[in-house]
């Protein structure tokens, strides 16, 4: 009787495990949309309002029309336990986001229920937006908005930072700007120079007094002063505010066959 009970218990446990595995199925990447429907925003759970989707879509499409770099945002509920970075890389590769000859595609994948976000970069973008830079975008600009439930604001701000990075206008916060060192410390240099100048005058006055020099005090021995100018190499880089033309909500020629290798970063909150 005890053996029979153990047998039924084992069968029950195995059945539960198999049923759980069936429910927790692997995430299936959506099929590539027809070329006329290939655009920049795919919200599969209606997380954004129609106006927000339209604004974000239009901005990203205009950027693509101007630079040929295709940035796609995909919003889903869950990856069903799959690693979001792998899903993003496989998704970008399957759809061929970006141009085949440049591999300049970027896929931003948001899984709301999992509370995870991923930025996956094509091969041609990896050297322009490094993994560390992608991590900064996620942690410093996107996730803080997501924590407050501002999903559109996080995506909008994150894509703006991506634009700046691609255009070379973004400087990492902890990256020392050595080129601007002289400009930042010029006041201190001037004060030090003035102190040394007056100290030198005092010494000259003392020496002149001891040797019986005539012709006035040490203050009068200085007949001229020189002034110099400096050049600040750091400067301030204002945003060029790239203007885009057109208002199409889909990529003109569709996805171009770009390739992905897993570059980028992911985060959770």
């Amino acid at each position: 009787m005890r053996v029979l009970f153990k047998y039924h218990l084992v069968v029950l446990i195995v059945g539960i495990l198999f049923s759980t595995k069936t429910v927790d199925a692997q995430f299936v990447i959506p099929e590539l949309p027809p070329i006329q429907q290939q655009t920049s925003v795919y919200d599969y759970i209606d997380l954004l309002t129609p106006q927000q989707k339209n604004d974000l879509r239009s901005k990203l499409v205009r950027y693509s029309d101007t630079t040929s770099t295709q940035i796609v945002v995909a919003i889903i509920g869950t990856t069903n336990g799959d690693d979001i970075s792998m899903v993003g890389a496989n998704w970008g590769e399957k759809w061929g986001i970006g141009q085949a000859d440049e591999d300049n595609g970027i896929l931003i994948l948001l899984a709301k229920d999992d509370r995870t976000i991923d930025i996956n970069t094509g091969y041609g973008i990896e050297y322009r937006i490094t993994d560390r830079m992608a991590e900064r975008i996620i942690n410093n600009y996107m996730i803080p908005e997501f924590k407050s439930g501002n999903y559109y604001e996080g995506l909008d701000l994150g894509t703006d930072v991506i634009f700046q990075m691609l255009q070379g206008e973004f400087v990492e916060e902890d990256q020392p700007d050595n080129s601007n060192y002289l400009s930042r410390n010029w006041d201190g240099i001037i004060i030090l120079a003035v102190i040394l100048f007056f100290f030198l005058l005092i010494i000259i006055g003392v020496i002149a007094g001891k040797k019986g020099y005539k012709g006035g005090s040490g203050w009068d021995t200085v007949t001229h002063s020189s002034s110099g100018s400096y050049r600040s190499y750091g400067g301030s880089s204002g945003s060029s505010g790239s203007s885009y033309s057109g208002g199409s909500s889909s990529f003109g020629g569709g996805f171009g066959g770009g390739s992905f290798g897993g570059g980028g970063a992911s985060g959770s909150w």
Side-chain angles (χ1 to χ4, degrees), residues 136-185:
R136 284 192 169 278
I137 297 172
I138 290 173
N139 292 331
N140 295 351
Y141 300 96
M142 303 178 84
I143 286 182
E145 295 292 345
F146 294 162
K147 286 181 177 179
S148 301
N150 302 323
Y151 296 101
Y152 169 75
E153 287 77 4
L155 294 170
D156 186 52
L157 182 58
T159 50
D160 281 345
V161 176
I162 289 177
F163 291 169
Q164 294 176 26
M165 287 183 174
L166 292 175
Q167 294 166 355
E169 298 174 354
F170 182 84
V171 179
E172 292 187 82
E173 295 175 1
D174 63 350
Q175 182 179 2
D177 187 7
N178 295 325
S179 64
N180 206 25
Y181 177 83
L182 183 60
S183 175
R184 294 195 305 269
N185 294 277

Side-chain angles (χ1 to χ4, degrees), residues 93 97 99-100 102-106 120-129 258-263:
E93 181 74 19
I97 300 171
Q99 310 304 318
E102 298 183 28
D103 295 324
N104 56 346
I106 298 176
N120 226 288
T121 55
Y123 283 115
I125 298 293
E126 291 179 0
Y127 77 99
R128 301 172 65 186
I129 297 183
S259 296
F260 285 69

